[in-house]
Amino acid sequence: MRVFVLGSGVVGATSAYYLAKKGFDVTVIDRQEGSALETSFANAGQLSPGYASPWAAPGVPLKAIKWMLQKHSPLIMKPTSDLWQYKWIWQLIKNCNPKSYAINKERMVRLSEYSRHCMQALRAETGITYEDRQRGTIQLFRKQAQLDGIGKDVEILKEMGTPYEVLDRQGIVKYEPGLSDNIHEFVGALRLPNDETGDCFIFTQKITQMAQELGVKFRFGESIDRFEFKNNQIQGVWINGQLETADRYVVALGSYTTAMLKPIDVHTPIYPLKGFSLTIPITDESKAPTSTVLDESFKVALTRFDNRIRMGGMAGVNGFDLSLKQRYRDTLNEVFNHVFPGGGDLSRAEFWTGLRPATPDGTPVVGKTKYPNLFINSGHGTLGWTMACGSGKYLADLMDNQTPEISTEGLDLSRYIS
């Protein structure tokens, strides 16, 4: 059976790999000149199932107002003329209640934990490396109220069987000695020892090669125009002005999924959340992170690669704007100097931005559509790499008419149909 996968970011490339493992004849189409050249290129480098949480949480609307009043705000709001921006924000606000948060977080953790197991199996089977480390993740709290507020998340971690530790200052320095100079700025932390780190770009490049060895064809530099449909079936997809056909189609176009599917009356509530990163050469290993730390106040992650620190964070709700402005770099610089000063050379850092495809409830859209031969794997927000292996394996099972290894509840578009 012939399958077209549209998109070669980490989600698309990983989906192609798992589909090929099932015996499908897979072709991947992408407008870029290679895999992982957009959102997957320079993300924060986390594989953090335990921190899988929706942005839509109780109290977030009020926090958002306070964030935007800060000099170094983790949230950037720029009004546009696109009504979809305001509709998406309203949908997110409607999910900012305890009941919705618990439901959405369970779905995200369920898929993320499954993805962790899939990644571990992939690594054991293939030996794939990507500057990976398995040393856990630490979420740092600057205020006692933040530390006191982790109760609900801890309850869900317990329900999912996810190990965790609550750390005092001494416990933080035990795992991250590079924080010792500035440890007075933090009151405590939550550590998830099973979380991992690595370079998503390297991973995607390698899984692309592995997929090619299984027979997957990657066609780069090609324009994906629109779908052709008739009688409740996708008849084909227009590529570079020509109609091409397959038996089944997978849309893994990240933030561009919504625009691709709207003309065929498939409505995916996926909006681009702009994120930023710095890739910083390490100058002093004793003052650099050993794994990943998350600064809860600034919503920034700092991740250790072999000889680099990847720092990623912030969220811009301003459409498809990919501009790089100095004030956003200044925010990242400020946070770095409050966490790992002296660990890296900021003057040689590489500044980057990408668009995270986010749903208003946080859970990605993975699964079938109203067209029997059309599937979606998109909307993973900040957790694309964390969820990539699980999403790819889950989707491959669905398309192979096998029962997935985790519950399908709430993972496809049906959750938006009332």
Side-chain angles (χ1 to χ4, degrees):
M1 182 175 288
R2 193 175 184 208
V3 178
F4 278 175
V5 175
L6 308 182
S8 69
V10 65
V11 171
T14 306
S15 298
Y17 172 81
Y18 282 107
L19 286 166
K21 292 278 286 183
K22 293 280 190 181
F24 289 98
D25 178 6
V26 183
T27 299
V28 180
I29 316 292
D30 198 284
R31 67 179 181 179
Q32 296 291 347
E33 297 302 318
S35 296
L37 293 182
E38 293 192 35
T39 303
S40 303
F41 181 71
N43 68 10
Q46 304 162 251
L47 289 162
S48 299
Y51 289 112
S53 297
W55 279 75
V60 161
L62 180 59
K63 289 180 182 178
I65 296 172
K66 294 179 179 179
W67 287 334
M68 288 187 291
L69 297 175
Q70 297 176 13
K71 178 181 179 181
H72 296 292
S73 173
L75 179 64
I76 304 157
M77 292 283 291
K78 179 181 177 182
T80 71
S81 59
D82 184 6
L83 292 178
W84 172 230
Q85 178 187 34
Y86 306 102
K87 183 178 179 181
W88 186 89
I89 292 171
W90 176 241
Q91 290 176 335
L92 183 142
I93 291 172
K94 289 196 298 183
N95 276 277
C96 292
N97 61 80
K99 181 179 178 181
S100 296
Y101 179 81
I103 292 171
N104 297 331
K105 183 174 177 65
E106 185 280 326
R107 291 168 177 169
M108 295 174 71
V109 173
R110 184 202 323 154
L111 184 56
S112 297
E113 288 290 350
Y114 176 59
S115 193
R116 182 208 305 277
H117 295 305
C118 292
M119 173 67 90
Q120 290 172 343
L122 176 72
R123 198 163 53 233
E125 179 183 350
T126 68
I128 187 171
T129 59
Y130 38 89
E131 297 194 19
D132 49 298
R133 292 176 174 229
Q134 292 81 48
R135 298 187 183 181
T137 300
I138 292 177
Q139 184 178 17
L140 299 170
F141 302 113
R142 295 176 179 272
K143 300 176 181 179
Q144 188 63 41
Q146 294 171 332
L147 183 61
D148 294 340
I150 66 174
K152 292 180 181 178
D153 286 346
V154 166
E155 288 178 11
I156 295 175
L157 293 173
K158 289 179 180 178
E159 291 174 7
M160 300 299 295
T162 302
Y164 70 93
E165 296 178 74
V166 178
L167 305 177
D168 58 14
R169 288 172 175 163
Q170 185 177 359
I172 294 171
V173 173
K174 171 186 173 184
Y175 293 109
E176 290 289 351
L179 290 170
S180 57
D181 289 347
N182 277 4
I183 194 60
H184 62 278
E185 296 195 18
F186 307 104
V187 299
L190 177 67
R191 178 175 184 262
L192 299 182
N194 285 354
D195 282 3
E196 305 177 6
T197 62
D199 190 319
C200 181
F201 174 74
I202 295 174
F203 173 85
T204 309
Q205 292 284 305
K206 289 192 175 183
I207 205 161
T208 293
Q209 181 181 351
M210 289 159 48
Q212 289 172 324
E213 292 169 355
L214 292 173
V216 177
K217 296 172 283 294
F218 283 79
R219 292 166 47 184
F220 296 116
E222 304 204 5
S223 175
I224 304 167
D225 303 322
R226 68 185 188 278
F227 282 115
E228 190 80 14
F229 69 102
K230 183 179 180 181
N231 298 330
N232 201 37
Q233 286 279 337
I234 300 299
Q235 301 293 315
V237 59
W238 289 87
I239 302 170
N240 293 332
Q242 294 187 342
L243 182 64
E244 300 195 35
T245 61
D247 299 300
R248 294 184 180 179
Y249 305 83
V250 175
V251 179
L253 293 170
S255 297
Y256 301 91
T257 296
T258 297
M260 183 69 186
L261 294 176
K262 185 177 179 180
I264 62 172
D265 197 34
V266 174
H267 300 283
T268 53
I270 297 171
Y271 189 84
L273 284 185
K274 185 177 183 180
F276 301 88
S277 75
L278 289 177
T279 305
I280 308 163
I282 291 175
T283 54
D284 186 340
E285 294 209 9
S286 69
K287 296 182 179 181
T290 64
S291 186
T292 290
V293 300
L294 307 172
D295 191 316
E296 176 63 20
S297 295
F298 291 98
K299 303 296 183 183
V300 167
L302 298 99
T303 298
R304 173 67 179 270
F305 294 163
D306 287 354
N307 301 302
R308 302 167 293 151
I309 301 168
R310 172 68 51 75
M311 183 178 184
M314 297 188 289
V317 188
N318 52 0
F320 291 84
D321 174 22
L322 284 168
S323 62
L324 285 168
K325 297 181 180 179
Q326 183 61 40
R327 67 176 181 270
Y328 305 141
R329 181 168 186 162
D330 290 343
T331 294
L332 293 177
N333 289 348
E334 179 75 10
V335 178
F336 185 81
N337 286 327
H338 276 273
V339 185
F340 291 106
D345 186 351
L346 285 174
S347 69
R348 293 191 292 134
E350 298 174 7
F351 190 31
W352 174 88
T353 188
L355 302 175
R356 311 179 188 106
T359 63
D361 54 11
T363 305
V365 179
V366 187
K368 61 185 180 180
T369 69
K370 67 179 184 178
Y371 298 96
N373 60 338
L374 178 66
F375 297 80
I376 301 172
N377 196 358
S378 190
H380 298 75
T382 60
L383 297 168
W385 189 24
T386 293
M387 296 181 174
C389 286
S391 298
K393 177 68 164 58
Y394 172 91
L395 186 67
D397 285 340
L398 282 178
M399 293 177 66
D400 197 33
N401 297 316
Q402 294 186 352
T403 302
E405 296 172 328
I406 58 171
S407 169
T408 62
E409 188 280 322
L411 298 184
D412 63 22
L413 280 175
S414 64
R415 72 179 185 267
Y416 297 114
I417 301 173
S418 56

